[in-house]
């Protein structure tokens, strides 16, 4: 059986688990390529105008794969931590895809509640049963996939740069080079090193949250706010760059929370959508780099 895995949204973070699990079950894993112009164009064609860029890109990956597999995984991620949620678009992702894209193959769309071992295990067994009825094979594949995921170290931490920034935002915006127009390479070219939230301890993020009136409802808000505050307050970096999707409701709240916290600390917001021009994007980075340089001297 060929299982289609779209390389969009949180695939960038969980691909070791996903690929290992299905391969161990005996399925042939078929992935879409890295995001490119054709994928984006297909995504724009199939999704509603109001959707954010990552959702459009996910549509593009799905459309690319639809005729190349027998069954497709459309992850309906509900929550990753207890009492926190991801985003309404993640919760309704299968409905978006199945209503927007015609002639889709059979899809695996069970909800994912990954805040506890038991709830995630239940999900995994339901998914595994779509490929094989062998309980022991699923159990073995799950164990192996977990090991591979735990060993996988994600994150960017550049060394040897005079200036350094915390790069904040959704993982799919940070790791999709096409969507962010190769932002990290551009920053490195300007003499700026980058560090991402993967390099601070979870409990550091949770400590920063105590500063807020109320614990954020969204996991993305918690991580971005906690990481930005920790890096700025402890002077671990010279500035913070937030890469944000145009039309993301969660970002609109998160950015305001960070802005009010950082006060005079250098903070650049880069909005991306399918219309973002590379020249203007680079000019803003140059101006930010100049400002950081002047503050340093
Ligand atoms: S969190 Fe924002 S960028 Fe991510 S899918 Fe939801 S609306 Fe889009």
């Amino acid at each position: 059986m060929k299982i289609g895995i779209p390389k969009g949204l949180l695939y960038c973070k969980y691909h070791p688990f996903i690929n290992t699990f299905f391969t161990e079950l005996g399925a042939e894993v078929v992935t879409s390529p890295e995001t490119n112009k054709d994928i984006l164009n297909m995504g724009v064609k199939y999704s509603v105008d109001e959707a954010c860029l990552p959702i459009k890109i996910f549509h593009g990956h799905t459309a690319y794969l639809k005729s190349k597999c027998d069954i497709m995984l459309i992850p309906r991620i509900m929550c990753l931590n207890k009492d926190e949620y991801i985003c309404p678009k993640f919760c309704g992702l299968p409905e978006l895809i199945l209503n927007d894209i015609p002639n889709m193959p059979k899809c695996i769309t069970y909800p994912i509640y990954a805040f506890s071992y038991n709830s995630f295990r239940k999900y995994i067994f339901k998914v595994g049963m779509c490929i094989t009825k062998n309980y022991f094979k699923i159990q073995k594949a799950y164990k192996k996939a977990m090991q591979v995921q735990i060993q996988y170290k994600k994150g960017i931490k550049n060394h040897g740069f005079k200036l350094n920034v915390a790069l904040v935002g959704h993982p799919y915006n940070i790791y999709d080079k096409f969507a962010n127009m190769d932002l990290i390479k551009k920053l490195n070219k300007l003499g700026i090193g980058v560090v991402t939230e993967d390099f601070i301890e979870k409990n550091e993020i949770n400590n920063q949250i105590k500063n807020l009136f109320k614990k954020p409802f969204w996991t993305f808000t918690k991580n971005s706010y906690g990481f930005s505050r920790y890096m700025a307050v402890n002077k671990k970096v010279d500035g913070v760059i937030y890469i944000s999707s145009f039309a993301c409701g969660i970002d609109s709240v998160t950015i305001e929370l960070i802005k009010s916290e950082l006060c005079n600390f250098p903070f650049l917001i880069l909005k991306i959508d399918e219309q973002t021009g590379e020249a203007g994007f680079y000019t803003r980075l140059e101006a930010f780099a100049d400002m950081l340089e002047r503050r340093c001297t």
Side-chain angles (χ1 to χ4, degrees):
M1 185 188 284
K2 285 186 185 174
I3 175 143
I5 312 283
K7 271 192 184 175
L9 296 175
L10 291 181
Y11 176 83
C12 61
K13 227 175 155 178
Y14 300 115
H15 61 90
F17 182 92
I18 298 170
N19 293 344
T20 309
F21 179 67
F22 288 109
T23 307
E24 289 292 311
L25 288 183
E28 184 186 336
V29 174
V30 185
T31 55
S32 46
E34 298 300 322
T35 308
N36 56 41
K37 187 127 190 59
D38 293 339
I39 297 269
L40 176 62
N41 288 344
M42 271 193 284
V44 171
K45 178 180 156 197
Y46 283 118
S47 56
V48 291
D49 289 347
E50 296 76 20
C52 60
L53 181 65
I55 292 291
K56 286 178 181 163
I57 288 176
F58 192 87
H59 274 69
H61 284 279
T62 310
Y64 172 91
L65 279 175
K66 67 175 183 172
S67 57
K68 299 178 178 63
C69 57
D70 307 306
I71 190 166
M72 199 186 295
L73 178 72
I74 312 281
R76 187 197 295 274
I77 304 178
M78 305 299 286
C79 61
L80 296 174
N81 299 316
K82 199 166 184 321
D83 300 329
E84 289 172 17
Y85 288 84
I86 285 280
C87 156
K89 286 174 188 149
F90 273 78
C91 307
L93 188 61
E95 282 70 30
L96 282 173
I97 296 292
L98 295 171
N99 284 297
D100 289 342
I101 303 180
N103 306 321
M104 283 291 290
K106 186 181 167 201
C107 292
I108 301 174
T109 64
Y110 301 121
I112 307 173
Y113 292 90
F115 58 80
S116 80
Y117 173 76
N118 280 342
S119 55
F120 186 59
R121 200 166 169 275
K122 269 188 206 156
Y123 166 77
I124 282 302
F125 275 84
K126 274 198 211 165
V127 174
M129 287 290 172
C130 299
I131 310 290
T132 171
K133 302 294 172 216
N134 186 333
Y135 179 90
F136 295 103
K137 203 169 179 184
I138 301 173
Q139 181 135 332
K140 210 172 140 222
Y142 175 43
K143 218 173 144 190
K144 178 88 191 283
M146 267 304 197
Q147 279 169 359
V148 176
Q149 181 69 39
I150 289 165
Q151 279 162 12
Y152 173 66
K153 297 279 171 258
K154 186 84 187 156
I156 302 162
K157 190 175 190 180
N158 296 145
H159 295 280
F161 288 89
K162 187 177 149 209
L163 296 170
N164 290 283
V165 293
L167 185 57
V168 190
H170 310 289
Y172 34 87
N173 285 339
I174 290 179
Y175 296 111
D176 188 331
K177 285 187 194 167
F178 183 82
N180 68 30
M181 289 172 282
D182 223 346
L183 171 63
I184 295 157
K185 198 169 162 199
K186 284 185 170 66
L187 286 169
N188 291 168
K189 209 172 143 197
L190 289 166
I192 299 176
V194 160
V195 59
T196 57
E197 71 184 37
D198 317 81
F199 285 92
I200 69 165
E201 296 295 328
K202 261 193 174 176
N203 62 338
E204 284 297 356
I205 289 190
N206 292 333
N207 283 342
Q208 304 303 318
I209 295 308
K210 290 180 191 148
N211 192 51
L212 286 170
F213 172 68
K214 188 170 167 269
K215 185 184 169 209
F217 189 66
W218 310 108
T219 300
F220 289 135
T221 303
K222 184 188 85 174
N223 291 347
S224 296
Y225 173 86
F227 174 53
S228 306
R229 187 174 190 277
Y230 175 81
M231 298 304 271
V233 168
N234 295 294
K235 304 260 181 305
K236 299 271 183 199
V237 286
D238 304 289
V240 173
I241 295 182
Y242 194 109
I243 179 136
S244 161
S245 311
F246 182 75
C248 171
I250 292 175
D251 277 356
S252 60
V253 175
T254 312
I255 287 170
E256 288 310 313
L257 284 175
I258 297 174
K259 240 198 237 170
S260 65
E261 189 60 45
L262 299 195
C263 301
N264 293 327
F265 196 76
F267 182 43
L268 175 69
I269 304 153
L270 296 169
K271 291 244 181 229
I272 50 168
D273 70 4
E274 65 274 23
Q275 314 284 356
T276 310
E278 198 158 356
F281 193 79
Y282 194 65
T283 306
R284 296 197 61 209
L285 290 181
E286 279 182 319
F288 191 66
D290 274 355
M291 191 260 286
L292 294 186
E293 186 74 51
R294 258 183 256 136
R295 275 173 67 103
C296 240
T297 49

